Amino acid sequence: MTNIVIKPTGQISKLLIVLGLIIAGWVGFDQDAAGQSGSKLVELCNSVAGDDATYLKDFYVELDAAGPEGKAPEQRFTIVLSKNTEYRFTVCNAEGSQGKAILQLYDVSKLYASTYNPQTGQTFQSFNFQCQKTGAYHLIVSFLDGKKGSAVVIASFVRTL
Amino acid sequence: MIKKIIFIASAVILIGVSIYIIYINSHLKPHENLDVPYEEVNKGVIDIEVEAVKSITENISSPIEIAALIKEMGVPFNRDFLAPTDYVSNYSTNYAQAFALGVFSADLGYLNMYNKTGSVIDYLTTIKNLADAINVGQYFDFATLKRLASNSSNVDSLKYISVHSFNQIDQNLRQRKRGNLSALIIAGAWLEGIYITIQVSKIKPDPKLLEKIGEQKIILSDLMTLLASYAKDPIFKNYVNEFNSIKAKFDEVQITYEQGEPVTVVENGMMTVVQKDRSIVHITTQQLNDISQTVELIRNRLIRQ
C-alpha cells in the first residue's frame, strides 16, 4: 500500500489560511449580520415594553420616504389576538432612523389604537389593548411626515383578563 | 518553476472552490440535510406569496397565552400533559421533526410559565436536536438557554430567548422557502396547546377554558388555509387530513359577535384601549367531548409516528 502525503509549500499554506478566513468571514456575515442588528433592536425594544409584559413577536419595518404624491408608505402585519387577553404593542425607532414610527391597530376596518394622535400631536411609545374578540388584527406601521425610516414593533402578552 | 505552476494552479482551484462554497451557502443552504429530497418536499407546493402566508401565520397561536391562562386557573403543573421526548429518534422525515419541534415549543412554554426550569433542560436538548435536524439549529441559542434554565431567577430571560429563537426559526424557514416546515411547526404548537388546554379543562372545567377551546375554531380555520397550501405533497397531505378531522369537529361550534365602540384610557402615561366588540363561543358538552377525543387521538398518533 502506498501512502500519498501532500506537503503544501509555505506559500500554499498561507494561501489556504487566507482563503479559509475569507470564506469563514463571508459565510458568517451572510448568515448573521442582518439578523444580529435586528435582534439587538428587538432586545432593546423588549426591555422598553416593560417587565410586566412577556415578549410574543417582533415585526421589523423599513420604509422609504413618501413619493411626490405625498402618501406615506406603510407596512402591514397580521396578528391573531385572543379574547380575554391584554396585549401591549411597543414601537421603537432604529438608530439613525430619519422618521418616527407610528403604529396603528385595526381589525378588518375599525381603528382601535394608534401611537400618534394627529389632533393633539401627542405620541406614545406603547399602548395596551384589552382584546374581547378572538381573530385576526392588522398592525400598520408608517413614519411621521412620510419620512424614510426603520423601526421594530414588539407584541407582548400582559395578562389574562 | 514547478513550484510556481503548482502555486498558481492551487490558487486557481482554491478560488474556484471558494466561489462555489459561497454560492452554495447563499443559494442552496435550504436544500441541505433534508431527509426527504428537496424536490420531493416542494413537489406540488402552491406558489403562494410569502407575504400572503406570513399574514395568515403571524402569531397564529402562542403557547404563552394558553399557558398563562392555564396557570391562572390555579391548576397545578402536571408533567403528564407534556409530550414524551422518547420518540424523537424515531422521526424519520423533516416533516415529523418540524411538527415535533412545534409540539415541544408549546411544552416549553408550559414549563416556562410554571418556572419549571429544572425540567426544561430535557426539552431544550430535544428541541435543539430537532432544530439541528431541519438545519435551523443555529437560530436556537441552546447554550444561553441551558445556562438560564439552571437558575429559576432567569425565567423571564428564558421565556424571551425561547420565544425569540422560535420566531427566528420560523422567519428563517419562510425566507428560505421552507414554509412547509414552518407550517408544521405552527401546527404542532397549536395542537399541543389545545391538547394541554383540554387536559386542564378536564380537571377544572372553567368557562374561560371552554371558551378558549371553542374559539380555536377561528384559529384552526387560518391554520387550515396555511396547511392546505402544501396539501399536494403526499406526505404533507397526511397532516392536512389529520387536521381536517379536527376541523370537522370544530365546524359545529357556533361563534357570534356583539358590536361596541372601544374605550381609551390614559393612565400614568400609558394608553389602554378596551375593546367593546365581543366574540361569544357557543359550545355544547357533546361538541367539547368530540373535539377532546379527536384532538387526543390525533395528537398522540402524530407524536408517535
Side-chain angles (χ1 to χ4, degrees), chain B residues 1-163:
Chain B
M1 183 63 183
I2 292 171
K3 272 189 178 178
K4 263 191 179 176
I5 291 168
I6 291 172
F7 176 75
I8 292 165
S10 303
V12 168
I13 291 167
L14 283 169
I15 289 166
V17 169
S18 308
I19 291 167
Y20 179 72
I21 290 171
I22 289 165
Y23 177 83
I24 289 291
N25 179 63
S26 59
H27 291 83
L28 301 178
K29 193 83 176 177
H31 305 205
E32 286 181 2
N33 298 337
L34 290 176
D35 294 331
V36 179
Y38 188 76
E39 290 71 21
E40 287 298 314
V41 168
N42 286 278
K43 193 186 282 179
V45 170
I46 295 170
D47 189 17
I48 39 181
E49 282 184 34
V50 172
E51 284 306 311
V53 173
K54 206 178 164 193
S55 71
I56 295 166
T57 57
E58 290 290 1
N59 193 28
I60 206 161
S61 170
S62 167
I64 297 285
E65 288 133 291
I66 285 180
L69 175 63
I70 288 168
K71 193 183 177 193
E72 194 197 82
M73 294 291 126
V75 177
F77 173 80
N78 189 338
R79 201 185 163 92
D80 293 341
F81 295 163
L82 303 178
T85 55
D86 315 349
Y87 306 99
V88 170
S89 56
N90 298 341
Y91 299 146
S92 57
T93 66
N94 284 161
Y95 290 144
Q97 288 157 342
F99 181 81
L101 194 55
V103 168
F104 291 123
S105 78
D107 288 340
L108 185 63
Y110 179 67
L111 285 161
N112 284 341
M113 195 53 75
Y114 278 85
N115 296 357
K116 296 292 177 189
T117 50
S119 310
V120 160
I121 304 285
D122 179 31
Y123 281 82
L124 287 177
T125 307
T126 302
I127 287 167
K128 171 65 176 162
N129 291 339
L130 289 169
D132 282 341
I134 61 168
N135 211 22
V136 289
Q138 68 271 34
Y139 297 98
F140 194 76
D141 192 353
F142 179 70
T144 306
L145 285 166
K146 198 175 171 185
R147 180 174 54 76
L148 293 170
S150 63
N151 188 337
S152 60
S153 66
N154 293 325
V155 75
D156 285 344
S157 301
L158 189 62
K159 279 183 204 167
Y160 168 72
I161 297 176
S162 305
V163 178

Side-chain angles (χ1 to χ4, degrees), chain A residues 56-78:
Chain A
L56 292 176
K57 202 89 185 172
D58 59 85
F59 306 91
Y60 185 75
V61 186
E62 196 168 345
L63 293 172
D64 285 331
E69 71 281 6
K71 188 177 181 338
E74 58 184 35
Q75 195 159 341
R76 177 186 293 245
F77 304 96
T78 304

Side-chain angles (χ1 to χ4, degrees), chain A residues 22-51:
Chain A
I22 291 169
I23 293 167
W26 182 285
V27 169
F29 178 80
D30 180 48
Q31 291 208 334
D32 298 328
Q36 278 178 355
S37 59
S39 288
K40 279 180 186 167
L41 184 59
V42 169
E43 201 176 332
L44 185 75
C45 201
N46 185 51
S47 63
V48 171
D51 293 341

Side-chain angles (χ1 to χ4, degrees), chain B residues 197-237:
Chain B
T197 312
I198 287 167
Q199 302 316 304
V200 174
S201 74
K202 285 179 179 175
I203 297 166
K204 188 165 185 173
D206 188 283
K208 275 188 180 176
L209 279 176
L210 304 185
E211 185 165 38
K212 180 62 76 182
I213 295 167
E215 74 182 16
Q216 298 305 309
K217 176 182 180 173
I218 301 166
I219 294 162
L220 182 57
S221 170
D222 285 344
L223 183 57
M224 288 311 301
T225 307
L226 174 67
L227 293 177
S229 65
Y230 301 106
K232 285 189 180 173
D233 180 315
I235 305 172
F236 201 100
K237 184 102 174 22

Side-chain angles (χ1 to χ4, degrees), chain A residues 9 19 21 30 33 55 58 61 67 75 80 82 87 108 117-118 126 131 135-138 147-149 154 161:
Chain A
T9 66
L19 282 170
L21 289 170
D30 180 48
Y55 164 87
D58 59 85
V61 186
Q75 195 159 341
V80 177
S82 295
Y87 296 92
V108 177
N117 183 338
S126 298
C131 182
Y137 291 79
H138 305 292
K147 287 184 180 170
K148 179 183 178 176
I154 302 282
L161 299 169

